[in-house]
């Protein structure tokens, strides 16, 4: 679609034996024993039966401590349903919340109690995960680990205090459901925020294949059978590559890339006056795609990563891995131009149009070329704002996470193991926990920790507060957090096909 510094590797860089009965496939759906006797590889342990699970009194106590007097309650309803959606030039049958793509934005204030009535009208069980929120563990939406799945035809009421302001999202945590249309933005306003902008623009970037002749379930089955996706079939697959990502850019070929549910030729738009300040809240809900985001000719000032403030940093373009969010301020340009989300290494474009007048939209391919000519940054080295920096302290415990794969049958592992809810990384409340994540693969992994916002240990010292961090091929990324939210917390690759093929483990609070 446009020239880039990306290229394709003509021969598949990965060759797999198509293995029957690969481990890790569908462990979440298969149910599991509560046996704590499975052997552990180095770095992961069988978890004891007395671990602090969703019913523990510590979890209710932690929630109670978050609830201030006079707490406001916000009620929302989410109907997970099957139906048609117009993505701009094409109508697809998919799964959404309430028939909208993205689902209707949820907006609360920090400190509010959010009550969400989820009705499952899907043909599969589902759950809702509140990505990035430090909530009570039993509302985290992870099957087996924190709650039973919501059966088709059933409903579930989520209820939890939302402690921190910022840009978050919600999506299912069952199979590859999030690679359908089941997602939306969760915006938590800060009552103390000074503002300083005229408009706000929430943009959700997504890679899209559902309802175009395949489904995410078929895609996952395909990967397990053949090791990789694509139209070329075995042996002739063109794998996406990115210099910025330092290796492979994805395993799945998507026909469309969407911004706020629309293709780039039928985009949504923001009308504002030239010179006005726009706060961007940018979210990557993609299944297998990083987005390079920016406005050609209009540098942005990055203000937040994954909801938490950072030292203001100028950039022409920023890379967003799956599950990451970046807030930035831009000045509304004089002429119409797209806020672009370029599918990194995949030659795909998405956009929301910035429309200061009645001028014609520029050619999106030319705009993409202009953005690609500018440097793009990853956010991992931007320091957190002083107010949200962790107090310096030596870690009480360090866990190594060796990220590997893909193995036979498209398995992805942490410390040599595919996910089991009975295996994990023990921690104790009150500890400063360090996670050192080493990527031994040829592809990036956006690693996400539930229930906490860690701080990246940057080469220069303090990095950003985040809940999802890109770990590039050959890199070790170290993060630290305070164990202040008891429970059983998934930590996993937010590439949905990696996660569902085993690249998940549990940060497990023990008594
Ligand atoms: Cu991954």
């Amino acid at each position: 679609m446009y020239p880039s510094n990306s290229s394709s590797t003509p021969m598949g860089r990965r060759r797999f034996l198509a293995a029957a009965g690969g481990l890790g496939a569908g462990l979440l759906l298969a149910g599991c024993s509560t046996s704590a006797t499975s052997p552990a590889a180095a770095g992961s342990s069988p978890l004891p039966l007395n671990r602090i699970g969703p019913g523990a009194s510590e979890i209710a106590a932690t929630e109670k401590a978050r609830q201030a007097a006079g707490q406001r309650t916000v009620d929302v309803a989410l109907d997970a349903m099957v139906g048609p959606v117009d993505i701009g030039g094409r109508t697809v049958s998919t799964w959404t919340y309430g028939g909208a793509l993205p689902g209707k934005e949820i907006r609360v204030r920090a400190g509010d109690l959010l009550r969400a009535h989820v009705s499952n009208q899907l043909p599969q069980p589902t759950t809702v995960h509140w990505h990035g929120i430090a909530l009570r563990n039993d509302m985290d939406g992870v099957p087996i680990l924190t709650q039973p799945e919501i059966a088709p035809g059933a409903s579930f009421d989520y209820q939890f205090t939302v402690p921190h302001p910022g840009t978050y999202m919600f999506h299912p945590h069952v199979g590859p459901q999030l690679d359908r249309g089941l997602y939306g933005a969760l915006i938590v306003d800060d009552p103390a925020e000074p503002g300083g902008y005229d408009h706000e623009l929430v943009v959700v970037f997504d890679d899209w294949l559902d309802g175009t002749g395949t489904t995410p379930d078929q895609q996952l089955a395909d990967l397990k059978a053949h090791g990789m996706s694509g139209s070329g079939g075995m042996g002739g697959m063109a794998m996406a590559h990115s210099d910025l990502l330092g290796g492979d850019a994805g395993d799945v070929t998507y026909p469309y890339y969407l911004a706020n549910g629309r293709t780039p030729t039928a985009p949504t738009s923001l009308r504002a006056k030239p010179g006005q300040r726009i706060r961007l809240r940018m979210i990557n809900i993609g299944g297998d795609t990083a987005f390079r985001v920016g406005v050609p000719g209009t540098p942005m000032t990055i203000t937040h990563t994954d909801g938490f403030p950072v030292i203001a940093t100028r950039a022409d373009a920023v890379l967003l891995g799956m599950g990451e969010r970046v807030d930035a301020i831009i000045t509304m340009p004089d002429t119409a131009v797209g806020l672009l989300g370029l599918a990194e290494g995949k030659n795909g474009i998405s956009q929301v149009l910035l429309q200061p007048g009645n001028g014609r939209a520029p050619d999106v391919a030319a705009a993409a070329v202009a953005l690609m000519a500018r440097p793009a940054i990853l956010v991992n080295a931007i320091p957190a704002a002083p107010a949200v920096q962790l107090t310096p302290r030596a870690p009480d415990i360090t866990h190594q996470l060796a990220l590997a794969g893909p193995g036979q049958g498209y398995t992805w592992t942490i410390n040599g193991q595919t996910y089991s809810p009975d295996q994990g990384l023990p921690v104790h409340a009150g500890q400063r926990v360090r996670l050192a994540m080493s990527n031994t693969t040829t592809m990036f992994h956006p690693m996400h920790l539930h229930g906490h916002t860690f701080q990246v240990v940057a080469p220069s010292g303090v990095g950003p507060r985040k809940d999802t961090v890109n770990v590039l091929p050959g890199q070790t990324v170290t993060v630290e957090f305070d164990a202040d939210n008891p429970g059983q917390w998934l930590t996993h690759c937010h590439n949905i096909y990696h996660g569902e093929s085993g690249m998940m483990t549990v940060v497990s609070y023990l008594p």
Side-chain angles (χ1 to χ4, degrees):
M1 258 171 132
Y2 58 93
S4 73
N5 63 4
S6 304
S7 62
S8 290
T9 311
M11 292 300 289
R13 79 224 121 98
R14 301 178 191 134
R15 302 251 173 202
F16 306 104
L17 299 171
L23 289 173
L27 262 176
L28 275 182
L29 287 173
C32 71
S33 74
T34 51
S35 161
T37 56
S38 318
S44 297
S45 308
L47 298 169
L49 292 173
N50 71 339
R51 59 182 161 153
I52 299 175
S57 60
E58 289 93 330
I59 289 163
T62 306
E63 170 69 7
K64 197 158 172 44
R66 289 190 186 113
Q67 297 179 328
Q71 183 181 43
R72 193 177 74 141
T73 299
V74 175
D75 283 294
V76 299
L78 293 180
D79 295 329
M81 57 195 283
V82 181
V85 170
D86 176 8
I87 59 172
R90 179 158 186 179
T91 297
V92 293
S93 178
T94 186
W95 301 2
T96 62
Y97 295 119
L101 186 72
K104 187 172 185 293
E105 174 185 302
I106 298 176
R107 190 170 277 263
V108 299
R109 287 197 301 254
D112 283 351
L113 185 74
L114 177 58
R115 291 198 302 211
H117 179 75
V118 177
S119 150
N120 182 8
Q121 298 157 27
L122 306 171
Q124 284 179 9
T126 195
T127 62
V128 177
H129 169 61
W130 311 91
H131 181 108
I133 303 291
L135 45 47
R136 54 183 301 164
N137 184 242
D138 53 358
M139 294 291 144
D140 194 44
V142 178
I144 298 167
L145 208 56
T146 71
Q147 71 168 100
E149 292 172 333
I150 310 167
S155 64
F156 186 87
D157 290 295
Y158 291 89
Q159 178 169 322
F160 54 89
T161 299
V162 182
H164 302 121
T167 301
Y168 303 95
M169 60 177 155
F170 53 95
H171 62 71
H173 227 295
V174 173
Q177 287 180 1
L178 74 70
D179 214 15
R180 299 189 191 245
L182 292 165
Y183 58 78
L186 168 55
I187 307 300
V188 186
D189 285 319
D190 184 353
E193 155 103 29
Y197 47 88
D198 303 299
H199 293 274
E200 199 184 77
L201 177 59
V202 180
V203 185
V204 187
F205 296 101
D206 191 18
D207 43 18
W208 192 269
L209 56 73
D210 195 33
T212 66
T214 186
T215 67
D217 287 321
Q218 288 165 348
Q219 182 62 63
L220 182 57
D222 222 43
L223 287 164
K224 289 177 184 298
H226 304 297
M228 54 191 80
S229 84
S231 45
M234 277 301 282
M237 234 126 347
M239 302 307 295
H241 174 87
S242 158
D243 291 342
L244 187 60
L245 289 168
D248 304 327
D251 287 341
V252 178
T253 303
Y254 291 86
Y256 299 105
Y257 297 93
L258 310 181
N260 287 346
R262 304 287 288 178
T263 58
T265 49
T268 61
S269 59
L270 172 76
R271 288 191 172 273
K273 295 193 183 79
Q276 284 190 317
R277 286 160 61 81
I278 316 294
R279 179 183 188 159
L280 306 174
R281 296 179 181 266
M282 301 177 288
I283 300 170
N284 181 354
I285 188 59
D288 175 76
T289 305
F291 285 92
R292 182 188 294 230
V293 176
V295 182
T298 302
M300 54 191 155
T301 301
I302 295 172
T303 60
H304 297 73
T305 57
D306 296 356
F308 278 57
V310 292
I311 303 278
T313 301
R314 296 267 285 183
D316 289 309
V318 62
L319 189 88
L320 275 183
M322 297 80 82
E324 287 192 290
R325 291 89 65 211
V326 163
D327 291 15
I329 299 278
I330 58 167
T331 301
M332 190 71 179
D334 297 333
T335 55
V337 64
L339 163 62
L340 303 180
L342 306 181
E344 181 63 19
K346 295 184 172 183
N347 288 356
I349 303 176
S350 63
Q351 70 167 340
V352 167
L353 201 60
L354 305 177
Q355 186 59 271
N358 292 315
R360 241 180 43 146
D363 176 69
V364 70
V369 170
L371 189 64
M372 287 299 292
R374 303 297 303 168
I377 65 164
L378 281 76
V379 299
N380 290 7
I382 301 176
V388 298
Q389 289 180 12
L390 295 186
T391 311
R393 176 181 162 189
D396 299 299
I397 185 167
T398 298
H399 285 298
Q400 312 282 343
L401 288 81
L403 313 176
Q408 254 193 10
Y410 196 73
T411 54
W412 294 85
T413 57
I414 297 174
N415 295 333
Q417 295 174 304
T418 53
Y419 173 64
S420 161
D422 299 333
Q423 302 274 331
L425 310 168
V427 302
H428 294 279
Q431 287 182 325
R432 171 68 54 86
V433 181
R434 172 176 277 205
L435 305 178
M437 299 176 284
S438 298
N439 183 350
T440 67
T441 80
T442 59
M443 185 167 166
F444 74 109
H445 303 290
M447 294 299 295
H448 174 51
L449 172 63
H450 288 207
H452 303 76
T453 299
F454 48 68
Q455 182 169 293
V456 180
V457 180
S460 59
V462 175
R465 295 290 299 274
K466 299 196 96 279
D467 51 68
T468 311
V469 66
N470 276 317
V471 187
L472 303 188
Q475 260 190 351
T476 295
V477 172
T478 302
V479 305
E480 292 182 352
F481 65 92
D482 285 325
D484 57 4
N485 196 13
Q488 303 300 308
W489 300 104
L490 211 60
T491 185
H492 64 97
C493 180
H494 222 276
N495 181 309
I496 191 62
Y497 298 97
H498 294 185
E500 289 303 312
S501 300
M503 194 174 260
M504 309 199 288
T505 189
V506 182
V507 167
S508 173
Y509 282 66
L510 304 186

